[in-house]
Amino acid sequence: SQQGEEDPQALSIQEGENATMNCSYKTSINNLQWYRQNSGRGLVHLILIRSNEREKHSGRLRVTLDTSKKSSSLLITASRAADTASYFCATTGANNLFFGTGTRLTVIP
Amino acid sequence: DAGVIQSPRHEVTEMGQEVTLRCKPISGHNSLFWYRQTMMRGLELLIYFNNNVPIDDSGMPEDRFSAKMPNASFSTLKIQPSEPRDSAVYFCASSLGQGWNIQYFGAGTRLSVL
């Protein structure tokens, strides 16, 4: 399966700290995406990184991709209580997209 | 843009009943996806349409599930007959292009089968 697996499954930090989540996958990809899901809501796209990119930034988000290790990380800097949510990576191949199992992030005010 | 619209938001039904979930994708998007999310199995892709044509339905769990997309602005997911193990949150998402681009999700339908 190409499904991504996030690590850790759950993460609890204090407001203002940085949060790092990791995603590992098994086969080659075209791109990798990160999504956020607030409780009771649908997923919201955060950032897309292509297979030929190594790092991408968007506001307080920083995503890295290491295709040799088949892994990606999402860093949220200066976390806020509003960042509390589940975060999913999604790996995209030629004709498919697989979501990982998610990391539940709790930011304590 | 109103985003992807799903209805109903909540559905409670009894085992054996027919359930129909509805989705209106974002105007102009030509790919539509149905997902199911449970605590046990996470987010599962059920079926993917491109230009109203089902491209991949390998995720549809069994014959009790069927999906249609009669036009570019409407899709349904039907479960007949429903079973308690079908209880989950069902999401519809749409995207532009072939489909494996950025996906925009609806708010979901929480289905409870008693």
Side-chain angles (χ1 to χ4, degrees), chain A residues 11-17 79-82 84 105-109:
Chain A
L11 179 62
S12 185
I13 59 174
Q14 294 291 135
E15 198 167 32
E17 293 180 339
S79 64
R80 305 166 182 169
T84 294
L105 173 66
T106 301
V107 180
I108 303 167

Side-chain angles (χ1 to χ4, degrees), chain B residues 18-37:
Chain B
E18 177 180 296
V19 175
T20 300
L21 312 181
R22 297 172 175 79
C23 175
K24 176 180 170 55
I26 292 173
S27 177
H29 283 189
N30 56 347
S31 290
L32 183 140
F33 307 81
W34 283 100
Y35 291 91
R36 178 172 68 178
Q37 186 176 40

Side-chain angles (χ1 to χ4, degrees), chain B residues 76-95:
Chain B
T76 59
L77 177 67
K78 187 176 294 187
I79 308 173
Q80 166 63 19
S82 59
E83 296 182 3
R85 59 193 169 116
D86 301 330
S87 297
V89 181
Y90 291 82
F91 288 103
C92 176
S94 70
S95 71

